[in-house]
Amino acid sequence: MMRKLVVVAILAVFVFPTVGLDTCGDANGEIEYLPIFCQAEKDRSELLAVYCYQMGNLTQFTLVFSDEYYPVWLIDKIYRVFRILRYHRTADIETFYIRIDENSSPVEVIFSHDGKGTYSGEQSYDALFPKHYSETVPFENFECNESRPYIYINTWNHLFSEKKNGSISYVELRDYTVIHGDRKKAEEDYRIW
């Protein structure tokens, strides 16, 4: 049993993230309000892809991170096994929405998906048990580079906000793989079995 888990973990980390993805490259020309993500510098997870899916006046953004690392080493190892068994993946997947008006201008960002919040609130990066808040934030509250909003990834489990939390350093992620697809496609693409 342990041998099988090791093989699955190796495949998940080294092989799976590069197989079977229908990438569309950089969608900057397609989505004017494609976010610029600011990830905590000490976060060891890599942003593998951002899935975009248009649903009427909502654009769904689903981010896929290589993993998530709990701040306590031993709990992190147990949590990783739990996630593989429960979700059949090591990748961390988080979703939010941008609502646009009739002129295709963004009006608000909805940090929630299927009843589970993806908003960090005031929580720090190292919060041991970060709560998933739901929040709808007016687009005018976001700092933007032209029409691209800055979205901060404030916690180790990748919860979002329109602002920095605390005094940690961030790395800007402007260019990343954009895949046309919804949350369900992201979950299918990164499922181990």
Side-chain angles (χ1 to χ4, degrees), residues 88-153:
H88 306 284
R89 59 180 157 81
T90 58
D92 180 37
I93 299 177
E94 300 294 345
T95 299
F96 66 90
Y97 301 83
I98 294 181
R99 184 184 311 279
I100 57 174
D101 63 17
E102 60 278 351
N103 299 318
S104 298
S105 296
V107 292
E108 61 188 10
V109 180
I110 303 162
F111 293 107
S112 182
H113 175 72
D114 282 349
K116 183 178 180 185
T118 56
Y119 188 69
S120 68
E122 300 294 328
Q123 299 174 101
S124 69
Y125 179 82
D126 293 317
L128 293 181
F129 303 103
K131 184 174 179 185
H132 288 252
Y133 293 108
S134 293
E135 190 70 36
T136 299
V137 181
F139 197 78
E140 62 198 33
N141 290 8
F142 288 84
E143 176 186 350
C144 291
N145 182 326
E146 296 180 5
S147 59
R148 298 182 69 186
Y150 287 93
I151 294 185
Y152 291 89
I153 305 163

Side-chain angles (χ1 to χ4, degrees), residues 156-169:
W156 61 268
N157 65 337
H158 308 120
L159 298 178
F160 309 110
S161 178
E162 76 281 13
K163 60 187 176 187
K164 300 177 183 182
N165 283 355
S167 59
I168 62 172
S169 298

Side-chain angles (χ1 to χ4, degrees), residues 28-186:
N28 286 344
E30 298 173 34
I31 302 174
E32 290 182 16
Y33 50 89
L34 191 69
I36 298 169
F37 297 103
C38 299
Q39 184 175 8
E41 192 172 54
K42 63 183 179 176
D43 190 342
R44 297 180 297 169
S45 299
E46 178 185 352
L47 178 60
L48 300 175
V50 176
Y51 287 68
C52 297
Y53 187 71
Q54 193 69 40
M55 307 176 310
N57 69 341
L58 286 177
T59 305
Q60 181 187 79
F61 291 92
T62 298
L63 281 69
V64 180
F65 296 90
S66 59
D67 208 333
E68 59 183 21
Y69 296 94
Y70 195 86
V72 177
W73 179 84
L74 180 59
I75 295 173
D76 178 63
K77 301 307 173 202
I78 295 167
Y79 182 57
R80 181 161 288 108
V81 171
F82 165 78
R83 285 179 37 243
I84 289 171
L85 295 175
R86 169 120 192 246
Y87 302 112
H88 306 284
R89 59 180 157 81
T90 58
D92 180 37
I93 299 177
E94 300 294 345
T95 299
F96 66 90
Y97 301 83
I98 294 181
R99 184 184 311 279
I100 57 174
D101 63 17
E102 60 278 351
N103 299 318
S104 298
S105 296
V107 292
E108 61 188 10
V109 180
I110 303 162
F111 293 107
S112 182
H113 175 72
D114 282 349
K116 183 178 180 185
T118 56
Y119 188 69
S120 68
E122 300 294 328
Q123 299 174 101
S124 69
Y125 179 82
D126 293 317
L128 293 181
F129 303 103
K131 184 174 179 185
H132 288 252
Y133 293 108
S134 293
E135 190 70 36
T136 299
V137 181
F139 197 78
E140 62 198 33
N141 290 8
F142 288 84
E143 176 186 350
C144 291
N145 182 326
E146 296 180 5
S147 59
R148 298 182 69 186
Y150 287 93
I151 294 185
Y152 291 89
I153 305 163
N154 283 325
T155 60
W156 61 268
N157 65 337
H158 308 120
L159 298 178
F160 309 110
S161 178
E162 76 281 13
K163 60 187 176 187
K164 300 177 183 182
N165 283 355
S167 59
I168 62 172
S169 298
Y170 291 85
V171 175
E172 285 187 12
L173 307 173
R174 293 172 176 267
D175 300 311
Y176 41 81
T177 300
V178 175
I179 299 171
H180 292 288
D182 61 3
R183 167 81 182 230
K184 184 177 178 186
K185 178 169 174 37

